[in-house]
Amino acid sequence: MPDEMKIAMLGPRGVGKTSLLAAMYDQFESTVGLTNLQLIPDLKSSAILAERLGELKSLVYDFEAKGGIGYTNDIRSFIFDLGKRGSKPSLRLKFQDFPGVYLDAKLPEESDKLEDYYESVKDMMEESDAVIIAIDAPALMEGRGKWHEKINRPQQIKDLFARAYQNLKSPRLVIFAPVKCEKYLQNETSAKKLREKIKEGYANLINFLQSEAISPWVPCAIIPVQTVGTVVFSMIEEIDNTPHFYFHKTSHNAMYSPKDSEIPLLYLLRFVLKIHNHNSNFDWGPYKFIRDWFGKQEDIKQAAKIALEACQSHDDVTLLQGDKWLKID
């Protein structure tokens, strides 16, 4: 059994957590896959992600799409083994994708279990070495922010962090990952507005992460991901106080063309590599295996460094804090 790192996928239902993970894995080959590293999903993860990837690619066949693709109410773990090509993997990445419905204030037919659901999410975050917060970009950007609180639930997410991140003694990586954000990355002006809206919409959480007790341990970054690349937000139709989001292709001939989907994975590798290189009086604790892993496999360390060159100065990534845990010397 390889050593394991846990990554929590956090976000409301329907925002696209599983789609984000599918796109991340799909585009991994274009960067890290060109080195001697390989990322292998287990059979169950491979089947689920292949199905979701097919749904993502099919969005380009409808010129006008409503909403996006479906969501699940099941707790799922996606397991990837990382190692040298042709060799037994030595590091396991376990992405824990809990149902976004768990953030709902009231669950149909299961309201008596709501407290247990919240507790399970908190426990998952406590156990995770990194958290990726999937953000519904149109809900954040459109309608003067009318739907942001209802759909993205930033205050509730902040409260989860406040409960889970107590007495931290080891570093944790936090990534804000806006999805369905193609419309807002067309130029630097719109990209800047997206970054500002995220800082504004998640101000309470960012302030918490920047507090004196938390900030030394928690690097965090904004990493927009275009999971399709050629499908952009079009309009909102409000029916019975419920928003219905519509999207359209950039042109009739536009094909599936994701962008930056692999960058969150590369930042996770960057985080792992930095922990290995850290040479101060650091209590390795749960990360001791990382030091041993890279120390014994110099070729994997060098391959990771090559891959990380792709995200060293990425234009659309905004590092909010904790650069000491992400800068590669």
Side-chain angles (χ1 to χ4, degrees):
M1 176 72 69
D3 290 302
E4 182 177 270
M5 289 193 73
K6 294 180 179 180
I7 304 97
M9 303 293 292
L10 189 63
R13 59 176 172 175
V15 71
K17 297 188 300 296
T18 309
S19 299
L20 171 60
L21 190 55
M24 284 166 54
Y25 170 60
D26 181 52
Q27 294 300 302
F28 186 81
E29 285 294 317
S30 67
T31 51
V32 178
L34 300 179
T35 71
N36 200 30
L37 287 179
Q38 63 179 358
L39 190 68
I40 308 173
D42 68 357
L43 294 178
K44 183 178 180 181
S45 300
S46 178
I48 295 173
L49 294 177
E51 181 178 358
R52 186 51 56 93
L53 190 59
E55 293 173 343
L56 277 174
K57 292 182 176 181
S58 70
L59 289 177
V60 299
Y61 295 109
D62 294 322
F63 191 72
E64 190 80 31
K66 181 179 180 181
I69 57 182
Y71 54 84
T72 178
N73 287 337
D74 300 323
I75 299 175
R76 296 194 296 205
S77 293
F78 295 88
I79 296 173
F80 299 88
D81 288 331
L82 181 68
K84 186 170 63 175
R85 289 185 182 276
S87 300
K88 186 177 180 180
S90 51
L91 180 62
R92 171 162 289 177
L93 304 178
K94 183 177 182 181
F95 290 84
Q96 302 180 97
D97 183 6
F98 77 96
V101 71
Y102 279 21
L103 294 180
D104 283 0
K106 190 174 183 180
L107 296 179
E109 301 178 0
E110 295 187 352
S111 57
D112 58 321
K113 299 180 181 179
L114 194 57
E115 187 172 344
D116 291 339
Y117 290 153
Y118 290 159
E119 196 66 23
S120 68
V121 176
K122 181 186 75 70
D123 291 345
M124 180 188 71
M125 292 176 63
E126 287 179 345
E127 298 169 358
S128 296
D129 306 292
V131 178
I132 298 177
I133 305 170
I135 301 170
D136 189 312
L140 172 70
M141 301 293 291
E142 305 295 335
R144 298 181 180 178
K146 178 179 179 180
W147 305 111
H148 174 54
E149 291 288 340
K150 181 174 182 178
I151 292 177
N152 286 316
R153 298 181 176 271
Q155 185 59 41
Q156 191 174 7
I157 288 176
K158 179 265 176 183
D159 291 342
L160 284 169
F161 271 95
R163 291 181 63 84
Y165 280 21
Q166 296 181 12
N167 300 316
L168 284 182
K169 299 300 180 184
S170 59
R172 311 291 177 89
L173 174 62
V174 175
I175 294 175
F176 294 86
V179 295
K180 309 173 189 175
C181 59
E182 283 82 348
K183 173 184 175 180
Y184 315 108
L185 296 175
Q186 299 300 307
N187 53 60
E188 176 52 34
T189 300
S190 60
K192 181 180 179 180
K193 185 176 180 180
L194 174 63
R195 293 192 295 268
E196 291 173 347
K197 280 289 188 180
I198 290 172
K199 293 177 182 179
E200 177 185 328
Y202 289 86
N204 289 342
L205 173 56
I206 292 172
N207 288 338
F208 169 75
L209 296 176
Q210 291 177 341
S211 62
E212 182 178 359
I214 304 298
S215 60
W217 297 108
V218 182
C220 54
I222 298 172
I223 306 179
V225 173
Q226 301 181 54
T227 52
V228 180
T230 51
V231 174
V232 300
F233 169 79
S234 176
M235 60 172 286
I236 300 175
E237 181 182 20
E238 186 176 341
I239 302 175
D240 297 329
N241 201 36
T242 299
H244 297 266
F245 294 84
Y246 290 83
F247 300 79
H248 66 79
K249 293 201 299 181
T250 52
S251 72
H252 280 281
N253 297 323
M255 300 302 293
Y256 174 73
S257 182
K259 184 178 179 182
D260 301 336
S261 300
E262 77 284 2
I263 300 299
L265 264 179
L266 291 178
Y267 266 78
L268 181 62
L269 274 181
R270 195 169 168 173
F271 178 59
V272 169
L273 188 59
K274 183 61 179 183
I275 289 175
H276 169 264
N277 289 345
H278 195 60
N279 57 11
S280 65
N281 296 323
F282 173 49
D283 180 8
W284 284 92
Y287 294 111
K288 182 179 181 297
F289 73 87
I290 292 176
R291 179 189 60 190
D292 297 340
W293 183 63
F294 276 120
K296 294 176 182 177
Q297 303 189 59
E298 186 64 25
D299 54 343
I300 289 183
K301 179 180 176 181
Q302 294 306 316
K305 284 186 175 181
I306 293 171
L308 293 174
E309 291 178 0
C311 67
Q312 284 284 55
S313 58
H314 202 270
D315 291 340
D316 289 331
V317 173
T318 302
L319 186 60
L320 298 176
Q321 67 182 44
D323 59 340
K324 76 171 186 177
W325 294 111
L326 294 172
K327 280 188 176 179
I328 305 303
D329 303 323

